[in-house]
Amino acid sequence: MNDKPIAFDAYEALAEAYAAAVETKPHNAYYERPATLSLLPGVKEKTILDAGCGPGIYSEWLIENGARKVVGIDASPKMIELARQRLGAAVDLREANMNQPLGFLESESFDIVLSPLALDYVEDWRSLFKEFYRILRAGGHFIFSIQHPFFDYRYFKTNNYFQTEVVGVEWKGFGKTRVHMPSFRRPLEDALNPLFEAGFRMEKILEPKATEKLREVDPKHYEELAREPCFLCLRARK
């Protein structure tokens, strides 16, 4: 694969452990996922792109909630295989690198593009967001979640908030499997302006709040997330 994604090797090594844990991992299941799903319009009879589908947990939710067609893309062959094991033929799954044009997807063929916690591994959002705008029908929605710029700035102790840069951390939350996970840290303006430049209109910004279920299963992180955000969820419209 040309222009291999920055986190390709990490996710290939982590794939099985990630798939086994993500359904109930507190930060995902009881914090980010409820917030991101709350931004979706009705999905019944809609055609939806799950961009960065991982092992298919969002695609499964979309199908269960009445989506007419779901296409899932991911750069990791192992993630695509795990998604196929979960979903069978219910979702059209394709290996694809979001650093490259999505020419295999037809213009104005989707009602919704959903991209949860995948964009932090893509450097050039301007080109990618133009592709998402192209494939959405008029009035279509783009919903995504990312690391919160405020959280990243503090966590990685960067010397220059305004610079988009490569950062990395060892992920320890998936059992015995540990990987160094690189990503791109960027300021808020570099997260929002590519949306407007592509032609999108912002509809809602959500800084997830810690849920009661998170308090129950992970009180330590509940206390942290009740005071400071970790993720940022957004909904824009064509």
Side-chain angles (χ1 to χ4, degrees), residues 1 6 10 41 63 108 122 127 153 182-183 196:
M1 181 183 294
I6 190 172
I63 290 295
E108 300 183 0
V122 178
S127 296
Y153 174 63
S183 61
F196 306 135

Side-chain angles (χ1 to χ4, degrees), residues 11 18 22 27-29 31-33 36 50-53 58 74 98 114-121 143-148 171 230-233:
Y11 271 109
Y18 185 96
V22 72
H27 269 71
N28 299 89
Y31 181 62
E32 181 273 331
R33 196 176 305 135
T36 299
D50 185 357
C53 64
Y58 275 92
D74 202 282
M98 290 194 291
L114 173 65
S115 189
L117 298 182
L119 297 175
D120 291 310
Y121 311 112
I143 293 99
F144 64 99
S145 58
I146 57 173
Q147 288 279 130
H148 198 295
W171 276 16
C230 179
F231 298 128
L232 182 65
C233 307

Side-chain angles (χ1 to χ4, degrees), residues 148-196:
H148 198 295
F150 170 81
F151 174 87
D152 275 359
Y153 174 63
R154 294 193 60 180
Y155 184 85
F156 292 109
K157 298 179 173 62
T158 182
N159 291 322
N160 185 352
Y161 168 80
F162 296 104
Q163 179 181 352
T164 294
E165 61 185 348
V166 176
V167 294
V169 64
E170 185 182 25
W171 276 16
K172 304 176 182 179
F174 294 92
K176 295 180 180 180
T177 304
R178 296 187 176 187
V179 298
H180 177 78
M181 183 62 70
S183 61
F184 292 99
R185 186 208 64 79
R186 70 195 77 221
L188 182 61
E189 65 180 8
D190 284 355
L192 298 182
N193 284 332
L195 276 172
F196 306 135

Side-chain angles (χ1 to χ4, degrees), residues 39-223:
L39 293 178
L40 283 167
V43 302
K44 191 173 182 179
E45 295 302 316
K46 298 295 178 62
T47 300
I48 304 170
L49 176 67
D50 185 357
C53 64
I57 192 165
Y58 275 92
S59 289
E60 183 176 54
W61 186 95
L62 294 168
I63 290 295
E64 289 176 349
N65 283 271
R68 183 177 67 84
K69 180 180 180 180
V70 177
V71 177
I73 61 173
D74 202 282
S76 165
K78 287 187 178 180
M79 286 292 193
I80 290 292
E81 179 55 33
L82 289 164
R84 190 166 285 119
Q85 292 173 21
R86 174 187 288 269
L87 302 165
V91 172
D92 180 1
L93 295 164
R94 309 187 194 186
E95 185 181 336
N97 182 349
M98 290 194 291
N99 291 300
Q100 299 172 351
L102 305 176
F104 58 94
L105 300 176
E106 294 184 8
S107 298
E108 300 183 0
S109 58
F110 290 90
D111 301 297
I112 299 170
V113 172
L114 173 65
S115 189
L117 298 182
L119 297 175
D120 291 310
Y121 311 112
V122 178
E123 183 174 17
D124 180 8
W125 285 11
R126 284 174 169 81
S127 296
L128 179 59
F129 287 5
K130 288 177 182 176
E131 283 290 88
F132 288 160
Y133 191 88
R134 176 184 65 80
I135 66 175
L136 278 170
R137 298 185 176 105
H141 286 92
F142 173 30
I143 293 99
F144 64 99
S145 58
I146 57 173
Q147 288 279 130
H148 198 295
F150 170 81
F151 174 87
D152 275 359
Y153 174 63
R154 294 193 60 180
Y155 184 85
F156 292 109
K157 298 179 173 62
T158 182
N159 291 322
N160 185 352
Y161 168 80
F162 296 104
Q163 179 181 352
T164 294
E165 61 185 348
V166 176
V167 294
V169 64
E170 185 182 25
W171 276 16
K172 304 176 182 179
F174 294 92
K176 295 180 180 180
T177 304
R178 296 187 176 187
V179 298
H180 177 78
M181 183 62 70
S183 61
F184 292 99
R185 186 208 64 79
R186 70 195 77 221
L188 182 61
E189 65 180 8
D190 284 355
L192 298 182
N193 284 332
L195 276 172
F196 306 135
E197 292 168 14
F200 285 103
R201 174 170 57 87
M202 182 67 67
E203 284 195 336
K204 190 168 185 178
I205 296 175
L206 184 61
E207 295 171 302
K209 307 301 187 295
T211 64
E212 287 303 310
K213 183 65 174 179
L214 183 64
R215 187 207 293 264
E216 176 185 330
V217 301
D218 191 344
K220 176 180 180 293
H221 284 115
Y222 173 89
E223 292 300 325

